[in-house]
Amino acid sequence: MPSSNPFRPLPTPLALLRDSGASRLGSVRRAGARWRRGHPALPKPPAPARSALPLATGRNPADTGPVRTVKAAATALTAVLAAGTASVVAGRLASDAALKAPPGRPLPTEPRLTVHRTAAGQITLTRDLAALRPGTYGLAGDGSHAVVGPVLEAAAHSADTVVRRLERVTHGTLAPGDTVWLTPNVHVGDPRAALGLDHEDVGVPGALGTLPAWFVPGDRETWVIAVHGLGATREQAMNVMGFLHRRRLPVLALAYRGDPGAPRSPDGLNHLGETEWRDVDAAVRYAVGRGARRVVLLGWSTGATMALRAAEHSTVRDRIAGLVLDSPVLSWEATLRALARARHTPQPLLPLAVRAAQGRAGLHADRVAEIVDPARLRVPTLIVHGPQDQVAPWEFSRRLARRRADVVALHTVAKAPHAAMWNADPAEYEERLRRFLTPLM
């Protein structure tokens, strides 16, 4: 009687093949027996050899015992090797999110938005947590850049859109259907074109070649060296360049290895500050050579990591008077995982992405521990960071500030993405910066 269990497992394709083959063979045998009963004079056909197997099984008669075991083991080994190779390749591709982040392009953590409509002083975007962020941001697309202000709560909008103030369109056009994303870069171009500031295009001698930089002169003997981070360019420094210029501080905005116009790193990879800090060291030596008595390093993201390493290892570190760290990457492993996860890397492959990056870029746990070792901080440090940073966890900044409260001040910014602490509240950011820099001028 057939089973009445509706949840019985479905037969496998191999079982179906075997059963159907056995059924057909049984039908043939029964038909042959009936035919022989009607023809008793015919001899009975010989029985098949004992080693013969039903053809429907698809097996070779020699595939028995040890031979079959060896073939099964070889098949299993091939499958394991193929799976391992695929995992390594997947891990390598996932690590590209950090090691090959192109300058001036959004990180995978930044969502894409759609322009729904524009009007005088307004732009309507897809409703998303990113589109609802407080503050002022650049709005970039392929071939366009604009600046958007806060959300206009009083403006009419649908359930799936949000309306922000449109400050200006810097270049290109914005049309319904365009794909855009928010960026910390409010200004594009150079300091003269974007801010009306006189500046000098200078070349900083670096280990790999000449590093392009913008130098905005000032009267003081304390220079600020600004270092951008992952997915950004030196244009990011222009967010605070006007503020620093009004305080008569000379500013050197550096392009380092891998940036447009700068030498390429030997392996073509980002090293999350592990090697790039030497370019910051070169910038400090350049500043000292041009008359700087003291230097403050202002870094975003991995630029902050470079500043920390330069403060520890620079040959002229005695001239470094302070550090300003915006969204510092204090754990390359956490950052690698975050960027790989944003690329929809499956959870089991995240350790492979970390190991792939470690092997490709020479990232070592002992060097990371050195960066966040509180005992190594010797100069006043301002950290500006927020809990909503999805790239560099804020918790590491909080721990560092707790353990070295004598030299580290932490300013926490809510509802700000990675390396966009200024954008969330420019006035508050600049006030914190003023308080920190005044004793160092």
Side-chain angles (χ1 to χ4, degrees), residues 10 63 65 99 184 281 387 398:
L10 294 174
D63 287 352
L99 302 187
D281 174 46
R398 190 165 69 111

Side-chain angles (χ1 to χ4, degrees), residues 220-223 285-294 319:
R220 299 189 185 274
E221 295 179 325
T222 298
W223 285 34
R285 285 186 276 111
Y286 176 87
V288 171
R290 288 193 55 168
R293 294 178 61 86
R294 292 170 299 276
R319 298 297 186 95

